[in-house]
Amino acid sequence: MGTIILAGTVVLVLFGFGNHIWWLAAIAVVFLYARYGRGSSATGTPGAPASAATYQEYRARRDQHAKWERRYRRERPFEARRQERSK
């Protein structure tokens, strides 16, 4: 897929020597590919890790979030209680 995007970008840049709008189109294609195409995953549900490394990363993020939650409740007890009541 990256080869197709690269070839399309080169073609748009070559067209851009005649009309500069094509350069803007090439920049847009590269931006959209970098933003949405390269990092997208089609392995399944986002909650289910694909390998042990992703599961370890998930556990690290979950533990860090729990640590932040405990710190927030400890440092701001009144706000934490108010938020618990509003749930």
Side-chain angles (χ1 to χ4, degrees), residues 2 5 14 37 42 46 52 54 57-58 63 72 74 76-77 82 86:
I5 299 296
L14 291 176
T54 58
E57 292 168 2
Y58 159 75
D63 293 345
Y72 181 82
R74 183 178 63 244
R76 297 171 181 86
R82 182 178 47 83
S86 66

Side-chain angles (χ1 to χ4, degrees), residues 16-33:
F17 287 111
N19 185 357
H20 296 298
I21 298 297
W22 292 108
W23 282 353
L24 294 175
I27 292 170
V29 165
V30 170
F31 173 75
L32 291 174
Y33 176 68

